[in-house]
């Protein structure tokens, strides 16, 4: 009887230690960049678009403390389907990635410019969403592209001076070019046979 | 040669135009529909809508009287951060005295703001700012097909979405289905798919199905398209669910079985309730209905106060009561019953005869052994006994039928008794009667009743005694009459409870003449515990 008790206690202690070890290992697992699965579901982007729209609406109703300190360069959002379809995937990707980068810079500036605390959450959301979009594009094997430092005067860019215009550009860019790029992404095409 | 070429070209052109004519007409009709829809839906002027990735149309309407010529108007549009452009206008006459000024663009830029301005004679009359991808007005879905899914109350609706690249997943559909007779329809929404299964429909009914499309409003937006042409389809007819049918059958069988069991267990009670035994007075009035057919007068005349006797004999519900020995037979000549008045004696004789006759009709099985037993009982004589004795005398005088010869032997014994005591010979009848086996007595009584009038007068009581009636209401059956010893009265009353089985009767002819009274003879009285209430009755009758 005593022997049985001892044996069982030994087994239970061993199991507990093993479990603890596994937990520790999982927790401290080195964050190796594992190949991302392609995110082809556009509902993610739809969510970002909705949040960007909310920010734009909030900005339109803002009376004070919501202005850009200086003009920012933003990508052009217009899409002519004939023209767009003539471009190859690489060009499209470059266009989208540079535009996203420009928007990120602009929103960062806006975040510091706007003093209205109500808008801060919206702007933070938008910035976060842009980073997520980068991740999505990365998952689709679309490389990041950083335009040169002198962004002003680049082809396919505008300059805006008001916060409302900035957010409007932001929304239109997401709805237009980013979406078209994701729709046409090669990685997603292979999944959907 | 050139003329030939030209003529051929002209012919081809005409043919080509003729072929395109239907599509042109259809296109015009569609445009008119869209225009009317836009007039309803869009409050701003000019009303603009995009039909596809490239086509863009703007229009406004003016009253005929106030409208100027086309040249007076100018339509200018400007994309964001770009130079403005002009759009050529055309005029269309609409219903209700209106004029439509239409601008059509073949190339559009999306996701940029477009500013529109309409001038008339240099003066701005309309201005608007919009995004082209947010004013889509698509054609309704084509090739709407409705089919059955194979299940009850379901229909499968499928369609072809408008052919717009990049916008398939942004489309939202509404499927409207109504029954043919009702106006109120139900609507089902489907997103980004081109077929839908309608559920919860009524079986065996015809449905009208229509579909319309709209962009969902996230990336692209617009107005609801026109309804597609309706498609009619009938759902599968209602069929009996096998499970429900079988369950219903089983439950009904179980209920039927239960009810039957209950009915059977309570059948006697139910029979009594539903078909109650209607009491008939037959039992109290012997022969009234069977012999005389309900004629009470006749019955009274024939039976001679059998009213008194019959109940005594044939009351099945009467409880057996113990036999009371009211008179004791003794051979002492001192006992003599006083003479009765003629009428009373008549009645008495009638009744007595009746009883005796009923008891007579003996057959061989017999009373001889009982004679002794009966004698020892002893009965007190009454006038009734005297009457019996007289009858016995009469009987002896009359010749006996040969068939009853066997009974003569028993008679001999009675005769002996009679001889011993002349005065008491009236008691012999009683004695003899008592000695009869009860079944036989009973049977004989029956037969007597059957022999209604034929035996009248067959035996004459030619006794000189005034007690006997000369008119023989005394009814004898053809078979013999068993002489009875005096001093014994009727014992057969108890027999009323005895079984009515006449098989013991020896005489064949009697079997057919036996009267069977329904509801009268219940074997409730045990065979040996016989009551003799008749004795009491008779006593009361004497008084």
């Amino acid at each position: 009887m005593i022997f049985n008790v001892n044996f069982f206690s030994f087994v239970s202690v061993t199991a507990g230690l093993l479990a603890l070890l596994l937990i520790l290992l999982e927790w401290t697992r080195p964050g190796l960049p594992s190949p991302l699965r392609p995110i082809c579901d556009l509902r993610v982007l739809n969510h970002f678009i909705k949040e960007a729209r909310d920010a734009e609406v909030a900005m339109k109703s803002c009376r004070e403390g919501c202005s850009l300190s200086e003009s920012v360069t933003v990508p052009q959002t217009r899409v002519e389907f004939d023209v767009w379809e003539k471009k190859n995937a690489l060009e499209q990707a470059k266009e989208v990635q540079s535009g996203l980068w420009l928007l990120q810079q602009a929103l960062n500036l806006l975040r510091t410019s706007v003093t209205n605390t109500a808008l801060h959450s919206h702007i933070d959301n938008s910035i976060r969403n842009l980073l997520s979009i980068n991740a999505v594009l990365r998952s689709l094997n679309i490389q990041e592209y950083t335009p040169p430092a002198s962004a002003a005067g680049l082809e396919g860019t505008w300059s805006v001076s008001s916060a409302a215009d900035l957010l409007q550009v932001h929304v239109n860019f997401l709805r237009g070019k980013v979406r078209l790029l994701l729709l046409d992404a090669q990685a997603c095409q292979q999944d959907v046979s | 040669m050139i003329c030939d070429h030209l003529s051929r070209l002209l012919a081809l052109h005409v043919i080509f135009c003729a072929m395109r004519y239907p599509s042109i007409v259809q296109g015009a009709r569609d445009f008119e529909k869209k225009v009317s829809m836009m007039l309803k839906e869009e409050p701003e002027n000019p009303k603009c809508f995009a039909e596809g990735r490239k086509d863009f149309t703007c229009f406004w309407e003016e009253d005929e009287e106030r409208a100027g010529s086309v040249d007076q108007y100018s339509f200018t549009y400007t994309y964001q951060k770009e130079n403005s452009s002009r759009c050529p206008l055309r005029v269309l006459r609409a219903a209700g005295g209106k004029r439509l000024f239409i601008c059509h663009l073949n190339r559009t830029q999306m996701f940029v703001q477009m500013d529109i301005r309409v001038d008339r004679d240099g003066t701005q009359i309309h201005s608007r700012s919009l995004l082209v991808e947010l004013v889509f007005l698509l054609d309704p879905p084509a090739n709407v097909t409705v089919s059955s899914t194979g299940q009850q109350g379901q229909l499968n609706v499928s369609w072809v979405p408008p052919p717009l690249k990049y916008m398939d997943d942004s489309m939202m559909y509404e499927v409207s289905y109504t029954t043919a007779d009702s106006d109120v329809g139900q609507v089902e929404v489907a997103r980004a798919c081109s077929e839908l299964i309608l559920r919860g429909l009524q079986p065996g009914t015809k449905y009208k199905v229509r579909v319309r499309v709209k962009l969902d409003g996230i990336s692209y937006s617009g107005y609801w398209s026109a309804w597609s042409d309706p498609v009619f389809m009938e759902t599968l007819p209602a069929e009996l669910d096998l499970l429900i049918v079988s369950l219903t059958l089983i439950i009904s069988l179980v209920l039927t079985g239960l009810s039957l069991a209950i009915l059977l267990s309570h059948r006697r009670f139910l029979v009594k309730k539903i078909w109650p035994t209607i009491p008939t007075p037959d039992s109290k009035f012997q022969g009234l209905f069977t012999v005389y057919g309900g004629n009470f007068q006749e019955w009274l005349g024939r039976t001679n106060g059998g009213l008194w006797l019959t109940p005594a004999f044939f009351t099945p519900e009467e409880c057996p009561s113990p036999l009371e020995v009211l008179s004791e037979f003794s051979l002492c000549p001192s006992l003599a019953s006083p003479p009765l008045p003629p009428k009373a004696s008549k009645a008495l004789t009638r009744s007595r005869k009746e009883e005796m006759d009923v008891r007579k009709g003996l057959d061989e099985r017999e009373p001889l052994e009982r004679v002794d037993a009966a004698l020892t009982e002893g009965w007190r004589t009454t006038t009734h006994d005297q009457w019996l004795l007289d009858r016995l005398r009469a009987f002896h005088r009359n010749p006996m039928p040969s068939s009853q010869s066997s009974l003569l032997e028993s008679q001999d014994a009675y005769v002996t008794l009679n001889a011993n005591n002349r005065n008491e010979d009236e008691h012999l009848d009683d004695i003899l009667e008592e000695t009869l086996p009860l079944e036989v007595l009973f049977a004989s009584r029956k037969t007597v009743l059957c022999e209604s009038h034929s035996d009248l007068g067959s035996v004459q009581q030619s006794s000189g005694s005034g007690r006997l009636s000369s008119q023989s209401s005394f009814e004898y059956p053809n078979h013999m009459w068993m002489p009875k010893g005096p001093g014994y009265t009727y014992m057969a009353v108890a027999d009323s409870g005895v079984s009515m089985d006449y098989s013991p009767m020896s005489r064949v002819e009697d079997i057919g003449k036996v009267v069977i009274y329904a509801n009268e003879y219940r074997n409730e009285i045990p065979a040996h515990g016989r009551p003799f209430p008749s004795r009491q009755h008779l006593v009361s009758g004497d008084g």
Side-chain angles (χ1 to χ4, degrees), chain A residues 77-78 80 85 175 179, chain B residues 53 82 107 109 111 219:
Chain A
T77 58
R78 68 156 181 260
E80 273 190 61
E85 279 166 3
R175 286 193 304 140
R179 194 169 206 276
Chain B
R53 296 198 304 165
E82 283 190 19
R107 288 179 60 168
Q109 291 183 14
F111 306 106
S219 272

Side-chain angles (χ1 to χ4, degrees), chain A residues 42 46 49-50 53 77-82 84-85 158-159 168 172 175-176 179-180 183-184, chain B residues 53-54 80-82 107-113 131 133-134 165-166 169-170 217-220:
Chain A
L42 283 172
N46 289 345
I49 291 168
K50 282 180 199 166
R53 232 179 12 210
T77 58
R78 68 156 181 260
V79 172
E80 273 190 61
F81 283 106
D82 296 339
W84 176 262
E85 279 166 3
W158 288 333
S159 178
Q168 192 191 37
N172 289 340
R175 286 193 304 140
R179 194 169 206 276
L180 287 170
L183 272 174
D184 270 343
Chain B
R53 296 198 304 165
K54 295 175 205 171
Q80 198 174 17
K81 307 257 193 251
E82 283 190 19
R107 288 179 60 168
T108 56
Q109 291 183 14
M110 295 200 182
F111 306 106
V112 283
Q113 191 165 312
L131 285 136
E133 75 278 2
L134 299 181
K165 205 175 167 187
Y166 305 123
D169 55 337
S170 303
I218 300 174
S219 272
Y220 307 93

Side-chain angles (χ1 to χ4, degrees), chain A residues 48-108:
Chain A
F48 298 154
I49 291 168
K50 282 180 199 166
E51 287 192 339
R53 232 179 12 210
D54 294 340
E56 184 193 357
V57 166
M59 186 58 78
K60 273 190 186 155
S61 61
C62 168
R63 293 287 166 257
E64 59 182 40
C66 41
S67 59
L68 268 174
S69 56
E70 59 185 58
S71 300
V72 285
T73 310
V74 290
Q76 287 183 359
T77 58
R78 68 156 181 260
V79 172
E80 273 190 61
F81 283 106
D82 296 339
V83 173
W84 176 262
E85 279 166 3
K86 280 186 192 135
K87 292 179 187 169
N88 60 19
L90 203 59
E91 285 177 1
Q92 290 171 355
K94 190 172 158 189
E95 204 169 320
V96 168
Q97 292 282 35
S98 63
L100 283 171
W101 186 88
L102 288 170
L103 280 171
Q104 272 175 340
Q105 308 305 312
L107 281 174
N108 285 333

Side-chain angles (χ1 to χ4, degrees), chain A residues 133-153:
Chain A
I133 290 167
N134 278 333
V136 168
L137 290 176
R138 233 186 353 257
S139 75
L140 298 174
N141 288 327
I142 295 169
Q143 297 304 319
E144 273 191 58
Y145 173 77
T146 309
S150 59

